[in-house]
Amino acid sequence: MKLSVAGTGYVGLVAGVCFAEKGHVVTCVDVDEEKISQMRQGISPIYEEGLEELLKKNIDKGRLFFTSDYQSAYSDADAIFIGVGTPEQPDGSANLRYIAAVCRQIAQSVTRDCLVVVKSTVPVGTNDKVEQFIKDNLERDVTVRVASNPEFLAQGNAVYDTMHAARIIIGTEDEVAKKTLLDIYAPFDLPIVSVSRRSAEMIKYACNNFLALKISYMNDIANLCELVEANIDDVAEGMRYDPRIGAKFLKAGVGYGGSCFPKDTKALTYLARQHGAQLKTIDAAVEINAQQKTRLFEKAKKRLMTFENVKIAVLGLAFKPGTDDLREAPSLDNVRLLLEHGADVVCYDPIAAQNFHKRYPNVPLANSVEEALEGAFCCFIFTEWEEFVRLTPEVFRRKMRVPLVYDGRNILDPELMKRGGVEYYSIGR
Ligand code: UDX
């Protein structure tokens, strides 16, 4: 099938590449000319395992194209997927201007009946607006159907999550639209859940908000574990065998970050308020997460006399391992606080360092863990990168001025650290 994808961020680019891999002819559209020229040369603008290989392979096979010329990309496509961003606005609502811009371009360009598929995370009711907006702006006498098809991929696992999605949500009441989407997804051979457009839009928010709530719940329990001398990792181990609870998203730590949970929790509570309702559970999850992010900083503040001119090593900047993304990363709140308190901060991250440098050009970056730890009085771990999991007490003792470690991802063994002479603090244990 001839598909076009609007937006080449995590959602759009990964979808485009995976559709091509499954045999469709795909044109990815973006306004950023530089990105387009990079991608044409087989270079992925984002770091995702396996993405660049598939991108190159499908360009070579003549199934994957990149352009900023939306007219040619949209004019005779069977389906156009919208994967542009819906960033958070100051009041917490989702900004739909990029979606609107693409819809306008679609309305100007299509020359035959086609299906527009909204993959971006959008507030319930947006697909209705998209349909009306395109209809109002259409320049030719064609039928444009609109369906919702939310994306559930997690960064760092994007290609795998797309190829092996737990389910595909198809949101439409229109039989033609449904059949087109079923045909597009047939080669993936994945479970399909077919619902109304509004339910599909809600499923996406309900999932992300539930996962955010689950993490905040575990962090809440973790904080109580500290007070009653229980161990949150053991508690999670005991919980995960219960199929009603599930084995994942039970890890306590310095809270969730990233491009989805912080934004989608705020967007859903905003939507509720707009309708005169209140999502008390999600309000609580957001509040807990905000406090959790700086919990270890607050502990260190009590432990240290001052941060003024004290060398502090920060290990891990990305909001989670496997990505260079820093959006809403707990590391950022902590670095900001440490700097405000006069600390001499040195950071290390195997992949996100360059992105961090763009935000904090004056904060020195180390080239290795050892370099970051050299002469430090205290160390924070904010991302569970594999190379940090393997750290031994010996390296903290050898390199640091004072082997004082705050592990925000519970990746090191407290007993081992203690026995090895490290003063070690983590979350909920
Ligand atoms: C998430 C959803 O998983 C995905 O389905 C959705 O489409 C987009 O949002 P992502 O933000 O890429 O994906 O990452 P995810 O792996 O879900 O982690 C989000 C945050 O939660 C990270 O900061 C991570 O460190 C944190 N987290 C996750 C925990 O603190 N504990 C856990 O047990 C799991």
Side-chain angles (χ1 to χ4, degrees):
M1 232 183 264
K2 195 160 185 265
L3 309 180
S4 286
V5 181
T8 57
Y10 281 96
V11 171
L13 179 59
V14 176
V17 169
C18 292
F19 284 143
E21 175 65 14
K22 290 293 182 186
H24 299 298
V25 175
V26 183
T27 305
C28 295
V29 185
D30 204 290
V31 287
D32 187 335
E33 303 267 359
E34 202 185 307
K35 245 170 114 180
I36 292 293
S37 104
Q38 260 194 358
M39 291 184 289
R40 277 186 180 149
Q41 294 166 52
I43 302 166
S44 169
I46 50 169
Y47 173 80
E48 275 297 334
E49 203 181 320
L51 183 61
E52 205 163 82
E53 283 145 78
L54 284 189
L55 190 143
K56 284 195 184 111
K57 176 180 158 193
N58 284 284
I59 292 176
D60 291 347
K61 292 217 175 243
R63 291 194 297 241
L64 184 59
F65 304 89
F66 296 94
T67 185
S68 54
D69 174 11
Y70 62 82
Q71 196 103 28
S72 67
Y74 299 155
S75 67
D76 65 342
D78 293 307
I80 303 165
F81 285 78
I82 303 182
V84 294
T86 51
E88 183 183 321
Q89 308 202 84
D91 62 2
S93 64
N95 185 339
L96 300 178
R97 63 189 289 211
Y98 303 112
I99 301 251
V102 171
C103 290
R104 189 169 277 125
Q105 294 171 345
I106 291 173
Q108 285 166 2
S109 311
V110 286
T111 58
R112 65 180 180 94
D113 294 357
C114 79
L115 173 66
V116 168
V117 187
V118 180
K119 255 202 175 303
S120 310
T121 302
V122 291
V124 181
T126 304
N127 274 262
D128 295 356
K129 287 188 193 161
V130 164
E131 186 170 79
Q132 192 59 50
F133 186 80
I134 293 178
K135 212 181 227 168
D136 292 345
N137 286 279
L138 267 180
E139 294 195 356
R140 292 171 193 84
D141 185 20
V142 294
T143 303
V144 177
R145 296 179 166 84
V146 176
S148 165
N149 170 223
E151 179 54 62
F152 297 93
L153 66 82
Q155 282 174 233
N157 234 8
V159 173
Y160 183 90
D161 283 357
T162 305
M163 295 302 229
H164 305 94
R167 73 316 205 178
I168 302 295
I169 305 292
I170 290 182
T172 177
E173 287 92 338
D174 182 297
E175 283 307 316
V176 177
K178 183 174 165 185
K179 164 128 194 0
T180 307
L181 273 167
L182 287 176
D183 288 348
I184 292 170
Y185 279 108
F188 287 81
D189 194 21
L190 295 166
I192 305 266
V193 180
S194 181
V195 295
S196 74
R197 275 201 309 221
R198 283 176 179 247
S199 296
E201 292 169 322
M202 184 55 107
I203 286 170
K204 174 64 201 238
Y205 278 110
C207 286
N208 272 1
N209 277 257
F210 182 74
L211 294 173
L213 180 62
K214 203 171 173 187
I215 296 168
S216 277
Y217 175 76
M218 291 310 285
N219 283 333
D220 222 4
I221 296 291
N223 298 343
L224 183 60
C225 280
E226 279 177 30
L227 299 175
V228 299
E229 291 177 35
N231 180 319
I232 190 63
D233 288 351
D234 294 345
V235 173
E237 179 66 11
M239 289 170 74
R240 76 184 186 90
Y241 286 94
D242 188 329
R244 294 168 304 176
I245 294 172
K248 294 186 174 155
F249 282 74
L250 297 175
K251 261 168 47 202
V254 278
Y256 58 77
S259 63
C260 293
F261 292 168
K263 168 172 81 75
D264 294 349
T265 43
K266 285 178 205 139
L268 194 63
T269 50
Y270 179 88
L271 183 78
R273 279 199 303 280
Q274 258 189 326
H275 288 81
Q278 192 192 356
L279 287 177
K280 291 182 185 169
T281 48
I282 307 304
D283 283 340
V286 171
E287 193 187 330
I288 290 166
N289 199 57
Q291 288 165 3
Q292 199 68 13
K293 281 184 170 184
T294 55
R295 192 175 165 81
L296 290 182
F297 168 82
E298 295 300 337
K299 270 193 186 172
K301 198 172 152 192
K302 283 192 192 132
R303 160 70 176 75
L304 295 169
M305 173 104 157
T306 176
F307 282 113
E308 198 91 34
N309 301 321
V310 173
K311 181 173 173 188
I312 309 285
V314 169
L315 302 184
L317 298 165
F319 81 93
K320 67 172 194 178
T323 176
D324 62 355
D325 200 328
L326 289 169
R327 282 177 284 179
E328 305 277 343
S331 65
L332 297 182
D333 300 71
N334 286 283
V335 167
R336 183 180 44 76
L337 277 172
L338 287 165
L339 294 175
E340 277 169 17
H341 284 73
D344 234 341
V345 182
V346 178
C347 301
Y348 171 72
D349 188 288
I351 292 197
Q354 287 318 313
N355 277 348
F356 178 80
H357 183 69
K358 289 179 203 150
R359 293 186 190 223
Y360 286 100
N362 298 324
V363 174
L365 289 168
N367 290 311
S368 65
V369 172
E370 299 215 351
E371 194 185 316
L373 295 178
E374 187 78 56
F377 284 79
C378 170
C379 157
F380 288 95
I381 300 173
F382 293 127
T383 318
E384 62 273 43
W385 287 106
E386 197 50 44
E387 63 178 293
F388 303 162
V389 178
R390 291 194 299 265
L391 292 173
T392 58
E394 187 268 335
V395 68
F396 294 115
R397 259 200 351 265
R398 182 163 48 84
K399 286 285 163 188
M400 295 176 76
R401 187 72 181 272
V402 178
L404 170 61
V405 175
Y406 290 90
D407 175 1
R409 295 296 175 186
N410 287 3
I411 51 175
L412 302 174
D413 181 341
E415 274 309 308
L416 200 75
M417 288 294 138
K418 204 170 144 193
R419 277 205 309 275
V422 173
E423 188 178 337
Y424 174 84
Y425 301 94
S426 52
I427 304 272
R429 46 184 213 162

